[in-house]
Short mmCIF file of all heavy atoms in Angstrom, two decimals:
data_model
loop_
_atom_site.label_atom_id
_atom_site.label_comp_id
_atom_site.label_asym_id
_atom_site.label_seq_id
_atom_site.Cartn_x
_atom_site.Cartn_y
_atom_site.Cartn_z
N SER A 412 3.67 -6.82 21.63
CA SER A 412 3.49 -8.30 21.65
C SER A 412 4.53 -8.93 22.56
O SER A 412 4.17 -9.95 23.28
CB SER A 412 3.54 -8.96 20.26
OG SER A 412 4.83 -8.65 19.69
N VAL A 420 3.01 -14.99 15.16
CA VAL A 420 2.96 -16.08 14.16
C VAL A 420 1.53 -16.51 14.00
O VAL A 420 0.93 -16.90 14.94
CB VAL A 420 3.92 -17.26 14.55
CG1 VAL A 420 3.80 -18.33 13.48
CG2 VAL A 420 5.38 -16.66 14.73
N ASN A 428 -5.46 -10.01 19.41
CA ASN A 428 -5.38 -8.70 18.64
C ASN A 428 -5.99 -7.50 19.31
O ASN A 428 -5.50 -6.41 19.29
CB ASN A 428 -5.96 -8.85 17.26
CG ASN A 428 -5.17 -9.68 16.31
OD1 ASN A 428 -4.26 -10.44 16.76
ND2 ASN A 428 -5.58 -9.76 15.07
N LEU A 462 -19.83 -10.86 11.51
CA LEU A 462 -20.85 -10.72 12.63
C LEU A 462 -22.23 -10.60 12.15
O LEU A 462 -23.21 -11.02 12.86
CB LEU A 462 -20.43 -9.55 13.55
CG LEU A 462 -19.27 -9.64 14.42
CD1 LEU A 462 -18.84 -8.39 15.11
CD2 LEU A 462 -19.49 -10.81 15.53
N LYS A 464 -23.47 -12.23 9.69
CA LYS A 464 -23.80 -13.53 9.34
C LYS A 464 -23.88 -14.41 10.45
O LYS A 464 -24.93 -15.22 10.67
CB LYS A 464 -22.90 -14.19 8.23
CG LYS A 464 -22.84 -13.43 6.94
CD LYS A 464 -21.81 -14.04 6.02
CE LYS A 464 -21.73 -13.27 4.75
NZ LYS A 464 -20.76 -13.78 3.74
N PHE A 483 -25.37 -10.02 25.46
CA PHE A 483 -26.02 -10.80 24.48
C PHE A 483 -26.26 -12.23 24.87
O PHE A 483 -27.25 -12.86 24.57
CB PHE A 483 -25.24 -10.72 23.08
CG PHE A 483 -25.48 -9.40 22.38
CD1 PHE A 483 -24.56 -8.42 22.46
CD2 PHE A 483 -26.61 -9.21 21.66
CE1 PHE A 483 -24.67 -7.17 21.84
CE2 PHE A 483 -26.80 -7.99 20.94
CZ PHE A 483 -25.80 -6.99 21.06
N ALA A 484 -25.24 -12.70 25.75
CA ALA A 484 -25.50 -14.10 26.22
C ALA A 484 -26.68 -14.04 27.22
O ALA A 484 -27.45 -15.02 27.24
CB ALA A 484 -24.20 -14.50 26.95
N ILE A 502 -51.97 -20.17 28.85
CA ILE A 502 -53.03 -21.08 29.41
C ILE A 502 -53.81 -20.24 30.42
O ILE A 502 -55.13 -20.40 30.49
CB ILE A 502 -52.33 -22.21 30.09
CG1 ILE A 502 -51.68 -23.22 28.98
CG2 ILE A 502 -53.47 -23.11 30.76
CD1 ILE A 502 -50.81 -24.37 29.53
N PHE A 504 -54.32 -17.04 30.58
CA PHE A 504 -55.07 -15.99 29.94
C PHE A 504 -56.29 -16.59 29.29
O PHE A 504 -57.35 -15.98 29.35
CB PHE A 504 -54.21 -15.30 28.84
CG PHE A 504 -54.91 -14.41 27.99
CD1 PHE A 504 -55.30 -13.11 28.42
CD2 PHE A 504 -55.37 -14.71 26.66
CE1 PHE A 504 -55.93 -12.24 27.66
CE2 PHE A 504 -56.09 -13.84 25.84
CZ PHE A 504 -56.41 -12.60 26.34
N LEU A 532 -32.93 -16.94 37.81
CA LEU A 532 -31.67 -16.28 38.32
C LEU A 532 -30.66 -17.23 38.75
O LEU A 532 -29.47 -16.96 38.65
CB LEU A 532 -32.09 -15.37 39.57
CG LEU A 532 -33.01 -14.27 39.08
CD1 LEU A 532 -33.62 -13.47 40.36
CD2 LEU A 532 -32.33 -13.21 38.19
N TRP A 535 -29.09 -18.83 35.77
CA TRP A 535 -28.21 -17.88 34.97
C TRP A 535 -26.84 -17.79 35.67
O TRP A 535 -25.80 -17.68 34.98
CB TRP A 535 -28.83 -16.55 34.95
CG TRP A 535 -27.84 -15.48 34.52
CD1 TRP A 535 -27.41 -14.49 35.37
CD2 TRP A 535 -27.14 -15.32 33.29
NE1 TRP A 535 -26.43 -13.79 34.77
CE2 TRP A 535 -26.33 -14.24 33.45
CE3 TRP A 535 -27.15 -16.04 32.09
CZ2 TRP A 535 -25.46 -13.79 32.41
CZ3 TRP A 535 -26.39 -15.57 31.11
CH2 TRP A 535 -25.52 -14.47 31.27
N GLU A 555 -9.56 -6.85 40.45
CA GLU A 555 -9.79 -5.44 40.52
C GLU A 555 -10.09 -5.06 41.98
O GLU A 555 -9.59 -3.99 42.37
CB GLU A 555 -10.92 -5.07 39.63
CG GLU A 555 -11.15 -3.63 39.51
CD GLU A 555 -12.20 -3.22 38.51
OE1 GLU A 555 -12.87 -4.21 38.01
OE2 GLU A 555 -12.43 -2.11 38.26
N ASP A 562 -4.80 0.25 46.80
CA ASP A 562 -4.69 1.71 46.51
C ASP A 562 -5.24 2.41 47.86
O ASP A 562 -4.66 3.52 48.13
CB ASP A 562 -5.51 2.12 45.36
CG ASP A 562 -4.83 1.61 44.06
OD1 ASP A 562 -3.63 1.29 44.12
OD2 ASP A 562 -5.52 1.45 43.04
N ARG A 569 -11.21 7.52 48.83
CA ARG A 569 -12.33 6.57 48.58
C ARG A 569 -13.37 7.13 47.58
O ARG A 569 -13.10 8.11 46.89
CB ARG A 569 -13.05 6.14 49.87
CG ARG A 569 -11.96 5.33 50.80
CD ARG A 569 -12.82 5.04 52.15
NE ARG A 569 -11.97 4.12 52.96
CZ ARG A 569 -11.81 2.83 52.84
NH1 ARG A 569 -12.75 2.17 52.02
NH2 ARG A 569 -11.14 2.15 53.68
N MET A 575 -21.37 12.68 45.30
CA MET A 575 -22.57 11.93 45.29
C MET A 575 -23.65 12.61 46.03
O MET A 575 -24.89 12.45 45.58
CB MET A 575 -22.32 10.55 45.82
CG MET A 575 -21.45 9.66 45.05
SD MET A 575 -20.96 8.14 45.86
CE MET A 575 -22.52 7.26 45.89
N ASP A 601 -59.57 9.96 34.42
CA ASP A 601 -60.79 10.07 35.08
C ASP A 601 -61.73 11.16 34.59
O ASP A 601 -62.90 10.96 34.44
CB ASP A 601 -60.54 10.32 36.66
CG ASP A 601 -59.92 9.09 37.21
OD1 ASP A 601 -59.92 7.99 36.68
OD2 ASP A 601 -59.16 9.19 38.26
N ILE A 635 -29.35 12.39 31.51
CA ILE A 635 -29.00 13.06 32.85
C ILE A 635 -28.12 12.14 33.73
O ILE A 635 -27.11 12.54 34.23
CB ILE A 635 -30.25 13.56 33.47
CG1 ILE A 635 -31.01 14.58 32.58
CG2 ILE A 635 -29.93 14.11 34.88
CD1 ILE A 635 -32.37 14.99 33.18
N GLN A 663 -36.05 4.71 37.05
CA GLN A 663 -36.78 3.99 35.98
C GLN A 663 -37.78 3.02 36.68
O GLN A 663 -38.90 2.79 35.94
CB GLN A 663 -36.01 3.32 34.97
CG GLN A 663 -34.95 4.22 34.31
CD GLN A 663 -35.57 5.28 33.39
OE1 GLN A 663 -36.78 5.53 33.52
NE2 GLN A 663 -34.78 5.99 32.61
N LYS A 741 1.54 36.41 -8.65
CA LYS A 741 1.73 37.05 -9.96
C LYS A 741 2.42 38.43 -9.78
O LYS A 741 3.27 38.81 -10.58
CB LYS A 741 0.37 37.42 -10.67
CG LYS A 741 -0.42 36.19 -11.06
CD LYS A 741 -1.73 36.50 -11.70
CE LYS A 741 -2.46 35.26 -12.20
NZ LYS A 741 -3.79 35.53 -12.63
N GLU A 747 10.95 36.50 -8.04
CA GLU A 747 11.29 35.10 -7.77
C GLU A 747 12.12 34.57 -8.95
O GLU A 747 13.13 33.77 -8.64
CB GLU A 747 9.93 34.26 -7.78
CG GLU A 747 9.15 34.50 -6.60
CD GLU A 747 7.93 33.66 -6.59
OE1 GLU A 747 7.74 32.87 -7.54
OE2 GLU A 747 7.12 33.86 -5.66
N LEU A 763 3.32 20.68 3.37
CA LEU A 763 1.88 20.15 3.62
C LEU A 763 1.00 21.29 3.63
O LEU A 763 1.17 22.44 4.06
CB LEU A 763 1.94 19.51 5.02
CG LEU A 763 2.70 18.20 5.16
CD1 LEU A 763 2.60 17.65 6.59
CD2 LEU A 763 2.16 17.17 4.11
N MET A 787 -18.75 10.11 13.23
CA MET A 787 -20.04 10.72 13.44
C MET A 787 -21.10 9.70 14.03
O MET A 787 -22.27 10.02 14.41
CB MET A 787 -20.70 11.31 12.26
CG MET A 787 -20.00 12.50 11.81
SD MET A 787 -20.70 13.40 10.40
CE MET A 787 -20.32 12.24 9.12
N PHE A 806 -42.36 -6.60 34.51
CA PHE A 806 -43.66 -6.86 33.96
C PHE A 806 -44.08 -8.34 33.94
O PHE A 806 -45.17 -8.74 34.20
CB PHE A 806 -43.76 -6.26 32.62
CG PHE A 806 -44.01 -4.82 32.50
CD1 PHE A 806 -42.97 -3.94 32.03
CD2 PHE A 806 -45.14 -4.24 32.91
CE1 PHE A 806 -43.21 -2.58 31.97
CE2 PHE A 806 -45.39 -2.79 32.82
CZ PHE A 806 -44.37 -1.95 32.38
#
Side-chain angles (χ1 to χ4, degrees):
S412 60
V420 180
N428 287 13
L462 284 173
K464 296 177 181 178
F483 285 97
I502 295 173
F504 173 78
L532 293 174
W535 164 250
E555 184 175 7
D562 292 339
R569 291 181 177 271
M575 292 174 66
D601 293 337
I635 297 172
Q663 303 295 13
K741 290 178 181 179
E747 290 181 3
L763 291 177
M787 291 184 290
F806 280 110

